[in-house]
Amino acid sequence: MALTFVRFKHARFSARFPEGFRYSPSHYWMSPVEGEEGLWHVGFTKFATRMLGELVDSQFPLEIGSPITPGQTIGSVEGFKAASDVYCVMEGTFAGTNPILQADACIVKSDPYITGWLYAARGEPEPESMDVHGYVALLGQIIQKMQDAGYPDDGAEPEP
């Protein structure tokens, strides 16, 4: 699948975000799987991976076919910078995790939009999801608020 990207730059943070994906306000992307009606891959945006750092582990205790709803905690990830729960951004059923994560969790940061997806779901993206242009606008607001609060441009903790 050939992707086209929208470039984003704010201060020292820059990233490219694929068009045609849906994005959640909680920094996940959702992409329909080509040739699989109703199946979506879900992953972290580049902004989320910047906050977490390299991933070292992931856990998704749900069984395939389990019902899922937006906001539900469905797993967890551990990175060098932080550990985080993984929240569902889909309405439907859990369709499994990315098998590559067990062998190479760093793929989430190095290739977040193709092979670095976290989990698959059958259903529909959460109602709050937005297109790439809505997400880029939201991200600009978030980074500006972080800067106004004294956080450095790279999202690190502010200096005392």
Side-chain angles (χ1 to χ4, degrees):
M1 165 171 69
L3 297 177
T4 56
F5 292 87
V6 170
R7 289 195 159 284
F8 173 82
K9 182 164 178 39
H10 191 290
R12 291 188 318 199
F13 178 76
S14 65
R16 298 177 327 138
F17 298 98
E19 289 185 324
F21 283 26
R22 300 298 299 168
Y23 295 87
S24 77
S26 53
H27 310 290
Y28 293 90
W29 57 262
M30 296 144 275
S31 173
V33 176
E34 199 170 317
E36 292 283 339
E37 185 70 30
L39 184 65
W40 296 71
H41 284 161
V42 178
F44 286 130
T45 66
K46 197 69 170 173
F47 182 74
T49 63
R50 179 86 176 254
M51 297 297 113
L52 285 169
E54 295 286 339
L55 289 190
V56 294
D57 191 28
S58 64
Q59 302 291 323
F60 291 88
L62 291 179
E63 291 186 25
I64 291 175
S66 296
I68 52 175
T69 59
Q72 174 185 356
T73 302
I74 61 168
S76 63
V77 293
E78 185 177 339
F80 284 128
K81 289 184 180 181
S84 178
D85 287 335
V86 174
Y87 297 98
C88 186
V89 292
M90 298 287 297
E91 181 75 45
T93 58
F94 185 74
T97 60
N98 185 346
I100 297 172
L101 293 181
Q102 296 308 310
D104 181 15
C106 294
I107 195 74
V108 170
K109 186 170 183 175
S110 64
D111 189 11
Y113 301 114
I114 303 291
T115 57
W117 52 277
L118 297 170
Y119 68 93
R122 289 200 178 277
E124 292 295 325
E126 66 185 2
E128 300 81 16
S129 71
M130 60 198 89
D131 68 11
V132 67
H133 301 290
Y135 181 69
V136 164
L138 175 69
L139 195 54
Q141 294 170 0
I142 290 169
I143 293 173
Q144 187 61 53
K145 284 180 186 176
M146 291 172 70
Q147 286 182 315
D148 293 347
Y151 283 79
D153 295 338
D154 61 4
E157 291 294 321
E159 295 182 22

